[in-house]
Amino acid sequence: MAKTSPGDFVNQVKTEASKIVWPTRRETWMTTIMVLIMTSLLGLFFFGIDTFFGTIVRWLLSLATAQG
């Protein structure tokens, strides 16, 4: 493996850093809004699933205690 001198390394880093394309302010806001919408929907979905299964478990436990 060839060794890279510190100067070559810094030049390579500068070259790669110049290729970075930052999102626009509008793209950042749109992405933020989409993330908030998706996390809210997933939160509601998992809340519903948790409530559903919690109800089933409570019902099954009430059956088990009524028998004993």
Side-chain angles (χ1 to χ4, degrees):
M1 178 177 355
K3 295 229 177 194
T4 304
S5 72
D8 286 339
F9 177 75
V10 170
N11 288 334
Q12 289 174 6
V13 169
K14 285 180 182 178
T15 302
E16 290 301 318
S18 69
K19 296 178 185 178
I20 297 172
V21 178
W22 293 100
T24 63
R25 185 175 300 269
R26 186 176 192 285
E27 289 171 333
T28 303
W29 273 110
M30 292 302 291
T31 304
T32 302
I33 291 169
M34 290 305 295
V35 167
L36 290 174
I37 290 171
M38 290 306 294
T39 53
S40 298
L41 289 174
L42 281 171
L44 289 172
F45 171 75
F46 285 118
F47 175 75
I49 294 295
D50 185 55
T51 303
F52 174 72
F53 283 116
T55 303
I56 290 174
V57 168
R58 271 188 252 105
W59 177 70
L60 289 172
L61 288 172
S62 71
L63 287 178
T65 55
Q67 302 255 339

